[in-house]
């Protein structure tokens, strides 16, 4: 994909759940290369709903959402996964994968169907784990980690996905002050490299 200056463009976004008051009304925003944009508001204001619309989890919205110039509704899942990585508020899984394997899942959009990860994929995973300070825990299982460490695994998975856009839902909420500062440093580094968060 050619990366346009406007990585994320939202225009006139409305979202209403059936039988309820509107959650989002006329939301417009633009995120350019290297921008860091924070959406602030009280609980229930619609921040997570906005992310759900951007990610295609909620599809009952009206308006326009574009990623790197592409209409979000026209993007296939694989195309979307090559453009946008997502870091949820917390790690929830029925399975406890090893840390390395969990981060390798971020490389899925770059793998050919049925193929094994290549050297470049392993490098991306190791670099992501090193960047968040978890390389020494690569063989530990997720259920053996603290909540903050699991959150850092999610950040590492998004880094390994290597997308121009990263959407984060309160990425520092379960982290101690030191790890909060580390994640914010990582986000600033990504912005300097031209990624949008």
């Amino acid at each position: 994909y050619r990366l346009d200056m406007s990585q994320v463009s939202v225009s006139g976004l409305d979202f209403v759940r059936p039988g309820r008051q509107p959650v989002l009304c006329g939301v417009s925003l633009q995120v350019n290369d290297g921008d860091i944009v924070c959406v602030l508001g009280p609980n229930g204001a619609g921040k997570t709903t906005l992310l759900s619309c951007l990610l295609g989890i909620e599809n009952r919205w009206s308006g326009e959402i574009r990623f790197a110039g592409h209409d979000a509704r026209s993007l296939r899942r694989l195309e979307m996964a090559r453009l946008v990585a997502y870091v949820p508020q917390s790690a929830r899984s029925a399975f406890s994968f090893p840390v390395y394997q969990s981060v390798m899942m971020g490389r899925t959009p770059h793998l050919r169907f049925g193929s094994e990860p290549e050297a470049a994929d392993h490098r991306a995973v190791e670099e992501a784990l090193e960047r968040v300070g978890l390389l020494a825990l690569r063989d530990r299982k997720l259920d053996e980690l603290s909540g903050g460490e699991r959150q850092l695994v999610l950040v590492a998975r998004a880094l390994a996905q290597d997308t121009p856009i990263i959407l984060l839902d309160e990425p520092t909420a379960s982290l101690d002050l030191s790890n909060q500062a580390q994640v914010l440093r990582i986000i600033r580094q990504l912005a300097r490299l031209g990624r949008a968060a």
Side-chain angles (χ1 to χ4, degrees):
Y1 287 104
R2 179 175 63 83
L3 302 183
D4 296 339
M5 277 303 293
S6 178
Q7 289 288 15
V8 182
S9 176
V10 177
S11 179
L13 181 66
D14 294 327
F15 179 81
V16 183
R17 289 192 174 89
R20 294 187 138 165
Q21 294 292 320
V23 180
L24 303 173
C25 225
V27 174
S28 295
L29 64 91
Q30 186 168 310
V31 184
N32 298 321
D33 288 347
D35 282 353
I36 301 170
V37 174
C38 298
V39 178
L40 303 175
N43 289 342
K47 302 183 299 294
T48 298
T49 300
L50 173 60
L51 281 177
S52 295
C53 292
L54 291 172
L55 292 163
I57 296 166
E58 291 283 6
N59 57 17
R60 293 172 295 177
W61 52 268
S62 60
E64 183 180 68
I65 299 174
R66 301 182 76 82
F67 294 110
H70 301 274
D71 183 344
R73 289 201 191 272
S74 70
L75 288 170
R76 295 184 314 232
R77 287 206 177 274
L78 181 59
E79 293 170 321
M80 180 78 159
R82 288 178 177 163
L83 285 173
V84 182
Y86 172 56
V87 179
Q89 286 184 20
S90 61
R92 293 187 190 93
S93 175
F95 306 101
S96 186
F97 295 104
V99 167
Y100 192 91
Q101 187 178 350
S102 298
V103 177
M104 182 59 79
M105 290 176 190
R107 297 299 300 164
T108 303
H110 304 286
L111 299 176
R112 287 175 314 210
F113 182 73
S115 68
E116 292 291 318
E118 298 179 357
D121 301 304
H122 289 287
R123 271 196 308 276
V125 169
E126 289 176 12
E127 286 170 9
L129 284 170
E130 187 168 15
R131 185 169 271 180
V132 301
L134 293 183
L135 193 55
L137 302 181
R138 59 184 287 163
D139 297 322
R140 295 268 296 276
K141 292 197 170 177
L142 288 180
D143 62 3
E144 298 171 355
L145 303 181
S146 69
E149 288 167 337
R150 286 196 299 272
Q151 189 66 17
L152 289 172
V153 170
L154 295 178
V155 173
R157 186 176 68 193
L159 295 176
Q161 195 170 331
D162 192 25
T163 60
I165 302 161
I166 301 179
L167 300 178
L168 307 99
D169 191 358
E170 299 186 35
T172 61
S174 59
L175 301 178
D176 59 29
L177 287 175
S178 172
N179 283 326
Q180 285 181 25
Q182 182 179 5
V183 168
L184 295 175
R185 272 195 305 272
I186 291 166
I187 292 170
R188 283 195 299 269
Q189 288 167 6
L190 293 173
R192 283 196 293 269
L193 293 171
R195 314 238 316 252

PDB file of all heavy atoms in Angstrom, residues 24-57:
ATOM      1  N   LEU A  24     -22.222   7.747  19.277  1.00  0.00           N
ATOM      2  CA  LEU A  24     -21.322   8.633  18.539  1.00  0.00           C
ATOM      3  C   LEU A  24     -22.162   9.473  17.591  1.00  0.00           C
ATOM      4  O   LEU A  24     -23.051   8.958  16.920  1.00  0.00           O
ATOM      5  CB  LEU A  24     -20.297   7.824  17.741  1.00  0.00           C
ATOM      6  CG  LEU A  24     -19.414   6.857  18.533  1.00  0.00           C
ATOM      7  CD1 LEU A  24     -18.570   6.015  17.577  1.00  0.00           C
ATOM      8  CD2 LEU A  24     -18.510   7.616  19.501  1.00  0.00           C
ATOM      9  N   CYS A  25     -21.870  10.757  17.542  1.00  0.00           N
ATOM     10  CA  CYS A  25     -22.665  11.661  16.715  1.00  0.00           C
ATOM     11  C   CYS A  25     -21.736  12.621  15.972  1.00  0.00           C
ATOM     12  O   CYS A  25     -21.097  13.475  16.574  1.00  0.00           O
ATOM     13  CB  CYS A  25     -23.580  12.467  17.630  1.00  0.00           C
ATOM     14  SG  CYS A  25     -25.238  12.579  17.027  1.00  0.00           S
ATOM     15  N   GLY A  26     -21.617  12.428  14.654  1.00  0.00           N
ATOM     16  CA  GLY A  26     -20.841  13.356  13.830  1.00  0.00           C
ATOM     17  C   GLY A  26     -19.366  13.429  14.156  1.00  0.00           C
ATOM     18  O   GLY A  26     -18.754  14.491  14.031  1.00  0.00           O
ATOM     19  N   VAL A  27     -18.761  12.311  14.557  1.00  0.00           N
ATOM     20  CA  VAL A  27     -17.336  12.307  14.915  1.00  0.00           C
ATOM     21  C   VAL A  27     -16.488  12.417  13.652  1.00  0.00           C
ATOM     22  O   VAL A  27     -16.676  11.670  12.694  1.00  0.00           O
ATOM     23  CB  VAL A  27     -16.966  11.018  15.687  1.00  0.00           C
ATOM     24  CG1 VAL A  27     -15.463  10.956  15.934  1.00  0.00           C
ATOM     25  CG2 VAL A  27     -17.741  10.939  16.992  1.00  0.00           C
ATOM     26  N   SER A  28     -15.563  13.357  13.662  1.00  0.00           N
ATOM     27  CA  SER A  28     -14.615  13.508  12.561  1.00  0.00           C
ATOM     28  C   SER A  28     -13.223  13.694  13.146  1.00  0.00           C
ATOM     29  O   SER A  28     -13.048  14.381  14.154  1.00  0.00           O
ATOM     30  CB  SER A  28     -14.971  14.722  11.693  1.00  0.00           C
ATOM     31  OG  SER A  28     -16.219  14.533  11.041  1.00  0.00           O
ATOM     32  N   LEU A  29     -12.258  13.043  12.538  1.00  0.00           N
ATOM     33  CA  LEU A  29     -10.864  13.228  12.952  1.00  0.00           C
ATOM     34  C   LEU A  29      -9.941  12.803  11.817  1.00  0.00           C
ATOM     35  O   LEU A  29     -10.337  12.074  10.920  1.00  0.00           O
ATOM     36  CB  LEU A  29     -10.550  12.456  14.232  1.00  0.00           C
ATOM     37  CG  LEU A  29     -10.628  10.928  14.234  1.00  0.00           C
ATOM     38  CD1 LEU A  29      -9.285  10.309  13.874  1.00  0.00           C
ATOM     39  CD2 LEU A  29     -11.061  10.438  15.599  1.00  0.00           C
ATOM     40  N   GLN A  30      -8.729  13.293  11.887  1.00  0.00           N
ATOM     41  CA  GLN A  30      -7.728  12.931  10.896  1.00  0.00           C
ATOM     42  C   GLN A  30      -6.414  12.678  11.619  1.00  0.00           C
ATOM     43  O   GLN A  30      -5.998  13.466  12.465  1.00  0.00           O
ATOM     44  CB  GLN A  30      -7.563  14.056   9.876  1.00  0.00           C
ATOM     45  CG  GLN A  30      -6.645  13.699   8.739  1.00  0.00           C
ATOM     46  CD  GLN A  30      -6.750  14.717   7.616  1.00  0.00           C
ATOM     47  OE1 GLN A  30      -7.843  15.033   7.185  1.00  0.00           O
ATOM     48  NE2 GLN A  30      -5.619  15.214   7.167  1.00  0.00           N
ATOM     49  N   VAL A  31      -5.785  11.548  11.309  1.00  0.00           N
ATOM     50  CA  VAL A  31      -4.507  11.177  11.908  1.00  0.00           C
ATOM     51  C   VAL A  31      -3.506  11.018  10.774  1.00  0.00           C
ATOM     52  O   VAL A  31      -3.707  10.207   9.873  1.00  0.00           O
ATOM     53  CB  VAL A  31      -4.626   9.865  12.707  1.00  0.00           C
ATOM     54  CG1 VAL A  31      -3.304   9.559  13.405  1.00  0.00           C
ATOM     55  CG2 VAL A  31      -5.763   9.937  13.723  1.00  0.00           C
ATOM     56  N   ASN A  32      -2.443  11.810  10.823  1.00  0.00           N
ATOM     57  CA  ASN A  32      -1.431  11.788   9.773  1.00  0.00           C
ATOM     58  C   ASN A  32      -0.226  10.959  10.179  1.00  0.00           C
ATOM     59  O   ASN A  32      -0.092  10.550  11.341  1.00  0.00           O
ATOM     60  CB  ASN A  32      -0.997  13.218   9.439  1.00  0.00           C
ATOM     61  CG  ASN A  32      -2.145  14.055   8.902  1.00  0.00           C
ATOM     62  OD1 ASN A  32      -2.969  13.562   8.140  1.00  0.00           O
ATOM     63  ND2 ASN A  32      -2.220  15.301   9.325  1.00  0.00           N
ATOM     64  N   ASP A  33       0.670  10.717   9.221  1.00  0.00           N
ATOM     65  CA  ASP A  33       1.914  10.001   9.509  1.00  0.00           C
ATOM     66  C   ASP A  33       2.611  10.637  10.709  1.00  0.00           C
ATOM     67  O   ASP A  33       2.785  11.858  10.758  1.00  0.00           O
ATOM     68  CB  ASP A  33       2.871  10.073   8.310  1.00  0.00           C
ATOM     69  CG  ASP A  33       2.421   9.206   7.146  1.00  0.00           C
ATOM     70  OD1 ASP A  33       1.527   8.374   7.339  1.00  0.00           O
ATOM     71  OD2 ASP A  33       2.981   9.376   6.051  1.00  0.00           O
ATOM     72  N   GLY A  34       2.995   9.812  11.657  1.00  0.00           N
ATOM     73  CA  GLY A  34       3.759  10.300  12.799  1.00  0.00           C
ATOM     74  C   GLY A  34       2.927  10.934  13.893  1.00  0.00           C
ATOM     75  O   GLY A  34       3.474  11.372  14.900  1.00  0.00           O
ATOM     76  N   ASP A  35       1.604  10.988  13.719  1.00  0.00           N
ATOM     77  CA  ASP A  35       0.739  11.574  14.747  1.00  0.00           C
ATOM     78  C   ASP A  35       0.462  10.580  15.872  1.00  0.00           C
ATOM     79  O   ASP A  35       0.345   9.379  15.644  1.00  0.00           O
ATOM     80  CB  ASP A  35      -0.625  11.969  14.164  1.00  0.00           C
ATOM     81  CG  ASP A  35      -0.584  13.271  13.384  1.00  0.00           C
ATOM     82  OD1 ASP A  35       0.464  13.946  13.401  1.00  0.00           O
ATOM     83  OD2 ASP A  35      -1.606  13.604  12.764  1.00  0.00           O
ATOM     84  N   ILE A  36       0.345  11.112  17.073  1.00  0.00           N
ATOM     85  CA  ILE A  36      -0.175  10.360  18.217  1.00  0.00           C
ATOM     86  C   ILE A  36      -1.440  11.084  18.649  1.00  0.00           C
ATOM     87  O   ILE A  36      -1.396  12.259  19.012  1.00  0.00           O
ATOM     88  CB  ILE A  36       0.831  10.322  19.379  1.00  0.00           C
ATOM     89  CG1 ILE A  36       2.142   9.676  18.948  1.00  0.00           C
ATOM     90  CG2 ILE A  36       0.227   9.593  20.583  1.00  0.00           C
ATOM     91  CD1 ILE A  36       3.259   9.823  19.971  1.00  0.00           C
ATOM     92  N   VAL A  37      -2.584  10.403  18.584  1.00  0.00           N
ATOM     93  CA  VAL A  37      -3.859  11.020  18.930  1.00  0.00           C
ATOM     94  C   VAL A  37      -4.459  10.256  20.105  1.00  0.00           C
ATOM     95  O   VAL A  37      -4.576   9.029  20.064  1.00  0.00           O
ATOM     96  CB  VAL A  37      -4.829  10.995  17.727  1.00  0.00           C
ATOM     97  CG1 VAL A  37      -6.204  11.511  18.132  1.00  0.00           C
ATOM     98  CG2 VAL A  37      -4.265  11.825  16.574  1.00  0.00           C
ATOM     99  N   CYS A  38      -4.826  10.988  21.151  1.00  0.00           N
ATOM    100  CA  CYS A  38      -5.487  10.388  22.314  1.00  0.00           C
ATOM    101  C   CYS A  38      -6.940  10.843  22.331  1.00  0.00           C
ATOM    102  O   CYS A  38      -7.223  12.026  22.136  1.00  0.00           O
ATOM    103  CB  CYS A  38      -4.816  10.833  23.608  1.00  0.00           C
ATOM    104  SG  CYS A  38      -3.103  10.321  23.746  1.00  0.00           S
ATOM    105  N   VAL A  39      -7.848   9.909  22.559  1.00  0.00           N
ATOM    106  CA  VAL A  39      -9.261  10.227  22.696  1.00  0.00           C
ATOM    107  C   VAL A  39      -9.590  10.157  24.185  1.00  0.00           C
ATOM    108  O   VAL A  39      -9.463   9.101  24.807  1.00  0.00           O
ATOM    109  CB  VAL A  39     -10.135   9.246  21.891  1.00  0.00           C
ATOM    110  CG1 VAL A  39     -11.614   9.573  22.080  1.00  0.00           C
ATOM    111  CG2 VAL A  39      -9.755   9.290  20.411  1.00  0.00           C
ATOM    112  N   LEU A  40      -9.991  11.288  24.748  1.00  0.00           N
ATOM    113  CA  LEU A  40     -10.253  11.376  26.177  1.00  0.00           C
ATOM    114  C   LEU A  40     -11.750  11.555  26.427  1.00  0.00           C
ATOM    115  O   LEU A  40     -12.451  12.173  25.628  1.00  0.00           O
ATOM    116  CB  LEU A  40      -9.496  12.567  26.782  1.00  0.00           C
ATOM    117  CG  LEU A  40      -7.974  12.568  26.590  1.00  0.00           C
ATOM    118  CD1 LEU A  40      -7.375  13.859  27.128  1.00  0.00           C
ATOM    119  CD2 LEU A  40      -7.352  11.367  27.271  1.00  0.00           C
ATOM    120  N   GLY A  41     -12.208  11.033  27.532  1.00  0.00           N
ATOM    121  CA  GLY A  41     -13.604  11.203  27.908  1.00  0.00           C
ATOM    122  C   GLY A  41     -13.942  10.287  29.066  1.00  0.00           C
ATOM    123  O   GLY A  41     -13.216   9.324  29.349  1.00  0.00           O
ATOM    124  N   PRO A  42     -15.050  10.564  29.736  1.00  0.00           N
ATOM    125  CA  PRO A  42     -15.443   9.726  30.880  1.00  0.00           C
ATOM    126  C   PRO A  42     -15.889   8.343  30.425  1.00  0.00           C
ATOM    127  O   PRO A  42     -16.132   8.109  29.237  1.00  0.00           O
ATOM    128  CB  PRO A  42     -16.614  10.509  31.497  1.00  0.00           C
ATOM    129  CG  PRO A  42     -17.173  11.299  30.352  1.00  0.00           C
ATOM    130  CD  PRO A  42     -16.005  11.640  29.471  1.00  0.00           C
ATOM    131  N   ASN A  43     -16.002   7.425  31.392  1.00  0.00           N
ATOM    132  CA  ASN A  43     -16.514   6.091  31.090  1.00  0.00           C
ATOM    133  C   ASN A  43     -17.894   6.221  30.450  1.00  0.00           C
ATOM    134  O   ASN A  43     -18.719   7.024  30.886  1.00  0.00           O
ATOM    135  CB  ASN A  43     -16.626   5.255  32.369  1.00  0.00           C
ATOM    136  CG  ASN A  43     -15.265   4.871  32.906  1.00  0.00           C
ATOM    137  OD1 ASN A  43     -14.266   4.921  32.198  1.00  0.00           O
ATOM    138  ND2 ASN A  43     -15.224   4.497  34.168  1.00  0.00           N
ATOM    139  N   GLY A  44     -18.133   5.409  29.421  1.00  0.00           N
ATOM    140  CA  GLY A  44     -19.419   5.430  28.745  1.00  0.00           C
ATOM    141  C   GLY A  44     -19.554   6.503  27.686  1.00  0.00           C
ATOM    142  O   GLY A  44     -20.617   6.646  27.078  1.00  0.00           O
ATOM    143  N   ALA A  45     -18.483   7.273  27.437  1.00  0.00           N
ATOM    144  CA  ALA A  45     -18.558   8.360  26.456  1.00  0.00           C
ATOM    145  C   ALA A  45     -18.477   7.856  25.016  1.00  0.00           C
ATOM    146  O   ALA A  45     -18.788   8.596  24.091  1.00  0.00           O
ATOM    147  CB  ALA A  45     -17.448   9.377  26.708  1.00  0.00           C
ATOM    148  N   GLY A  46     -18.033   6.593  24.832  1.00  0.00           N
ATOM    149  CA  GLY A  46     -17.981   6.042  23.479  1.00  0.00           C
ATOM    150  C   GLY A  46     -16.588   5.825  22.929  1.00  0.00           C
ATOM    151  O   GLY A  46     -16.423   5.557  21.739  1.00  0.00           O
ATOM    152  N   LYS A  47     -15.573   5.900  23.782  1.00  0.00           N
ATOM    153  CA  LYS A  47     -14.188   5.735  23.305  1.00  0.00           C
ATOM    154  C   LYS A  47     -13.965   4.340  22.734  1.00  0.00           C
ATOM    155  O   LYS A  47     -13.435   4.183  21.619  1.00  0.00           O
ATOM    156  CB  LYS A  47     -13.194   6.012  24.451  1.00  0.00           C
ATOM    157  CG  LYS A  47     -13.304   7.387  25.068  1.00  0.00           C
ATOM    158  CD  LYS A  47     -12.262   7.621  26.143  1.00  0.00           C
ATOM    159  CE  LYS A  47     -12.353   6.666  27.311  1.00  0.00           C
ATOM    160  NZ  LYS A  47     -13.590   6.827  28.108  1.00  0.00           N
ATOM    161  N   THR A  48     -14.362   3.308  23.472  1.00  0.00           N
ATOM    162  CA  THR A  48     -14.183   1.936  22.994  1.00  0.00           C
ATOM    163  C   THR A  48     -15.089   1.658  21.808  1.00  0.00           C
ATOM    164  O   THR A  48     -14.711   0.935  20.873  1.00  0.00           O
ATOM    165  CB  THR A  48     -14.425   0.935  24.142  1.00  0.00           C
ATOM    166  OG1 THR A  48     -13.442   1.174  25.169  1.00  0.00           O
ATOM    167  CG2 THR A  48     -14.286  -0.503  23.659  1.00  0.00           C
ATOM    168  N   THR A  49     -16.289   2.253  21.791  1.00  0.00           N
ATOM    169  CA  THR A  49     -17.185   2.094  20.643  1.00  0.00           C
ATOM    170  C   THR A  49     -16.551   2.685  19.392  1.00  0.00           C
ATOM    171  O   THR A  49     -16.643   2.107  18.303  1.00  0.00           O
ATOM    172  CB  THR A  49     -18.547   2.763  20.924  1.00  0.00           C
ATOM    173  OG1 THR A  49     -19.132   2.156  22.074  1.00  0.00           O
ATOM    174  CG2 THR A  49     -19.480   2.619  19.735  1.00  0.00           C
ATOM    175  N   LEU A  50     -15.896   3.829  19.531  1.00  0.00           N
ATOM    176  CA  LEU A  50     -15.197   4.432  18.394  1.00  0.00           C
ATOM    177  C   LEU A  50     -14.149   3.473  17.846  1.00  0.00           C
ATOM    178  O   LEU A  50     -14.063   3.234  16.633  1.00  0.00           O
ATOM    179  CB  LEU A  50     -14.550   5.756  18.803  1.00  0.00           C
ATOM    180  CG  LEU A  50     -13.647   6.425  17.761  1.00  0.00           C
ATOM    181  CD1 LEU A  50     -14.424   6.749  16.484  1.00  0.00           C
ATOM    182  CD2 LEU A  50     -13.014   7.689  18.344  1.00  0.00           C
ATOM    183  N   LEU A  51     -13.353   2.879  18.744  1.00  0.00           N
ATOM    184  CA  LEU A  51     -12.342   1.901  18.306  1.00  0.00           C
ATOM    185  C   LEU A  51     -13.010   0.701  17.633  1.00  0.00           C
ATOM    186  O   LEU A  51     -12.510   0.201  16.618  1.00  0.00           O
ATOM    187  CB  LEU A  51     -11.501   1.430  19.499  1.00  0.00           C
ATOM    188  CG  LEU A  51     -10.395   2.363  19.958  1.00  0.00           C
ATOM    189  CD1 LEU A  51      -9.697   1.791  21.193  1.00  0.00           C
ATOM    190  CD2 LEU A  51      -9.377   2.616  18.857  1.00  0.00           C
ATOM    191  N   SER A  52     -14.133   0.239  18.190  1.00  0.00           N
ATOM    192  CA  SER A  52     -14.834  -0.909  17.609  1.00  0.00           C
ATOM    193  C   SER A  52     -15.325  -0.605  16.190  1.00  0.00           C
ATOM    194  O   SER A  52     -15.289  -1.468  15.311  1.00  0.00           O
ATOM    195  CB  SER A  52     -16.018  -1.313  18.489  1.00  0.00           C
ATOM    196  OG  SER A  52     -15.557  -1.770  19.743  1.00  0.00           O
ATOM    197  N   CYS A  53     -15.769   0.625  15.971  1.00  0.00           N
ATOM    198  CA  CYS A  53     -16.179   1.024  14.620  1.00  0.00           C
ATOM    199  C   CYS A  53     -14.977   1.066  13.686  1.00  0.00           C
ATOM    200  O   CYS A  53     -15.032   0.571  12.550  1.00  0.00           O
ATOM    201  CB  CYS A  53     -16.873   2.385  14.653  1.00  0.00           C
ATOM    202  SG  CYS A  53     -18.483   2.397  15.480  1.00  0.00           S
ATOM    203  N   LEU A  54     -13.881   1.642  14.161  1.00  0.00           N
ATOM    204  CA  LEU A  54     -12.673   1.731  13.340  1.00  0.00           C
ATOM    205  C   LEU A  54     -12.174   0.343  12.950  1.00  0.00           C
ATOM    206  O   LEU A  54     -11.715   0.124  11.821  1.00  0.00           O
ATOM    207  CB  LEU A  54     -11.571   2.490  14.085  1.00  0.00           C
ATOM    208  CG  LEU A  54     -11.787   3.984  14.300  1.00  0.00           C
ATOM    209  CD1 LEU A  54     -10.717   4.553  15.216  1.00  0.00           C
ATOM    210  CD2 LEU A  54     -11.808   4.729  12.978  1.00  0.00           C
ATOM    211  N   LEU A  55     -12.275  -0.603  13.876  1.00  0.00           N
ATOM    212  CA  LEU A  55     -11.752  -1.951  13.646  1.00  0.00           C
ATOM    213  C   LEU A  55     -12.719  -2.861  12.900  1.00  0.00           C
ATOM    214  O   LEU A  55     -12.375  -3.981  12.540  1.00  0.00           O
ATOM    215  CB  LEU A  55     -11.391  -2.594  14.986  1.00  0.00           C
ATOM    216  CG  LEU A  55     -10.198  -1.963  15.708  1.00  0.00           C
ATOM    217  CD1 LEU A  55     -10.176  -2.373  17.172  1.00  0.00           C
ATOM    218  CD2 LEU A  55      -8.900  -2.342  15.013  1.00  0.00           C
ATOM    219  N   GLY A  56     -13.956  -2.389  12.687  1.00  0.00           N
ATOM    220  CA  GLY A  56     -14.929  -3.225  12.003  1.00  0.00           C
ATOM    221  C   GLY A  56     -15.630  -4.216  12.915  1.00  0.00           C
ATOM    222  O   GLY A  56     -16.363  -5.082  12.444  1.00  0.00           O
ATOM    223  N   ILE A  57     -15.394  -4.117  14.217  1.00  0.00           N
ATOM    224  CA  ILE A  57     -16.088  -4.985  15.177  1.00  0.00           C
ATOM    225  C   ILE A  57     -17.560  -4.586  15.215  1.00  0.00           C
ATOM    226  O   ILE A  57     -18.451  -5.425  15.233  1.00  0.00           O
ATOM    227  CB  ILE A  57     -15.443  -4.877  16.575  1.00  0.00           C
ATOM    228  CG1 ILE A  57     -13.999  -5.386  16.520  1.00  0.00           C
ATOM    229  CG2 ILE A  57     -16.255  -5.648  17.610  1.00  0.00           C
ATOM    230  CD1 ILE A  57     -13.168  -5.029  17.743  1.00  0.00           C
TER     231      ILE A  57
END
